[in-house]
Amino acid sequence: MIFGPISADLVYYAHSRGIRAVFGTDLALASIGVEPDETDYVNSVVALQAAKYTDGCVATPTSGYRVPLPSNASIGHLSGVD
């Protein structure tokens, strides 16, 4: 996962070794479900992905979003790899 500026050299290096290059982006939850904000956000991420030849992105929720976890949750449980 790429943190910071997306370098063409880094993406090329990853791809030359069969590694996918993904980047992180903030997900403003206040924009989700609100047109045109949601569409603008998605379009900007897709445009960045296409322009930098990356393989995807990982969106991290912002704006104080918290997901309550069940008390018996484990990493394996959450990832589906129990």
Side-chain angles (χ1 to χ4, degrees):
M1 182 167 184
I2 301 170
F3 295 97
I6 302 169
S7 157
D9 290 337
L10 179 59
V11 173
Y12 175 78
Y13 180 82
H15 287 165
S16 72
R17 282 154 179 73
I19 300 168
R20 293 185 177 169
V22 298
F23 62 94
T25 181
D26 289 334
L27 172 60
L29 292 174
S31 299
I32 302 305
V34 178
E35 291 294 336
D37 295 346
E38 180 177 344
T39 301
D40 292 345
Y41 169 76
V42 171
N43 288 339
S44 70
V45 170
V46 169
L48 178 60
Q49 181 180 337
K52 299 293 186 174
Y53 300 101
T54 62
D55 301 297
C57 76
V58 176
T60 304
T62 58
S63 306
Y65 178 74
R66 296 184 63 146
V67 177
L69 297 176
S71 60
N72 63 345
S74 68
I75 296 299
H77 174 76
L78 295 174
S79 65
V81 186
D82 270 335

